[in-house]
Amino acid sequence: MSLTPPIRPFDASPLLDRVVLVTGGAQGIGRGIAQAVLGAGGRVVIGDLDRAAGRACLVEWDVGDRARFLTLDVSREASVRAFVGKAQAAFGRIDGLVNNAGPADPAIDDVSALALADWRRFIDAHLTGTFLCSKHALPALRDAHGAIVNIASSRALQSEPHTEAYASAKGGVVGFTHALAISEGPRVRVNAISPGWIVTDDWRKPTARRAPALSKRDHVQHPAGRAGVPDDIGALAVHLLSDASAFMTGQNIVVDGGMSRVMHYV
Ligand SMILES: NC(=O)c1ccc[n+]([C@@H]2O[C@H](COP(=O)([O-])OP(=O)(O)OC[C@H]3O[C@@H](n4cnc5c(N)ncnc54)[C@H](O)[C@@H]3O)[C@@H](O)[C@H]2O)c1
């Protein structure tokens, strides 16, 4: 028997026939992840509050029964239970779950004026939603030896003023990620992606879609030379959902063009 390590060809379809659920998958980063899953050979179920956006994806993708859209509110357990049940009934298995849904605009009121309802809006969608979707998908994910990818944020690790609710929700997502990875290993791997500034204006439903209007300064402040696009997150999500990352679990990977590594002196 030869002990020579082989040169392995790169797998061009690392998610061939895998079934991946993407919450908030009808627009923005979630849509980018869903399209990356399709590009990697997978099948996708997008769940989203916005029906028009979900239906537009199916029309524009035109991939037949490789993609489904289901209405979903990740903050309501009955809605999550129905979403996971219908997805499993449609495809017979679940290999991956991407917890992405939730309000993306982080700035609200000063904490001394912050309404409890506004606080809960962020916690319920991002943190409780990640818990609920994981809870209901886990039995199928265990059967498939699947993977979860949670979309956190660089704001779990650094802040602008008046973003406490968002930062707390995303910090919670990072903690949930490593705790669940320890509970579910070796059956299910769980990792998080923390995006920085990802431009999504041209990834919305057709009626809301517009060309991004960023300044040169917006881009060049990033060590990578530009702000991010949904494809940047989709590529890493595919890696974390595929067997190529079989030795990774419990991690939070920052994808921010290097912004959080810049040292500032005035
Ligand atoms: N865009 C960024 O710069 C950025 C940076 C870091 C993290 N993120 C995170 O990435 C994720 C996606 O952000 P985005 O910028 O693409 O946002 P987006 O607003 O473009 O898209 C979010 C999608 O989620 C859906 N959604 C919202 N609440 C929902 C709910 N309760 N149940 C089901 N669907 C719901 C919306 O209808 C929408 O289609 C969010 O978790 C956000 O916090 C975004």
Side-chain angles (χ1 to χ4, degrees), residues 174-193:
V174 172
F176 182 79
T177 298
H178 61 72
L180 190 63
I182 300 312
S183 302
E184 291 301 319
R187 291 167 300 185
V188 179
R189 294 182 302 107
V190 189
N191 290 290
I193 301 174

Side-chain angles (χ1 to χ4, degrees), residues 57-106:
C57 286
L58 297 188
V59 171
E60 292 183 331
W61 292 343
D62 193 20
V63 293
D65 60 9
R66 287 181 61 212
R68 303 270 175 127
F69 164 67
L70 296 169
T71 51
L72 168 69
D73 181 348
V74 291
S75 64
R76 292 181 42 239
E77 185 158 22
S79 177
V80 171
R81 188 185 290 113
F83 169 67
V84 173
K86 285 179 190 167
Q88 203 173 0
F91 286 115
R93 57 185 295 143
I94 299 173
D95 300 280
L97 167 68
V98 181
N99 288 307
N100 164 82
D105 186 0

Side-chain angles (χ1 to χ4, degrees), residues 24 27-30 48-50 72-75 100-104 125-126 151-153 166 170 195-198 200 204:
Q27 300 184 93
I29 291 174
D48 204 293
L49 274 176
D50 192 323
L72 168 69
D73 181 348
V74 291
S75 64
N100 164 82
H126 291 298
I151 304 303
S153 170
Y166 186 85
K170 293 303 194 180
W197 185 355
I198 307 297
T200 59
R204 305 198 169 280

Side-chain angles (χ1 to χ4, degrees), residues 9 25 32 35 50-51 77 87 133 168 183 204-205 220 224 230 245:
Q35 291 188 196
D50 192 323
R51 280 169 199 241
E77 185 158 22
C133 293
S168 301
S183 302
R204 305 198 169 280
K205 60 186 170 186
V220 299
S245 62

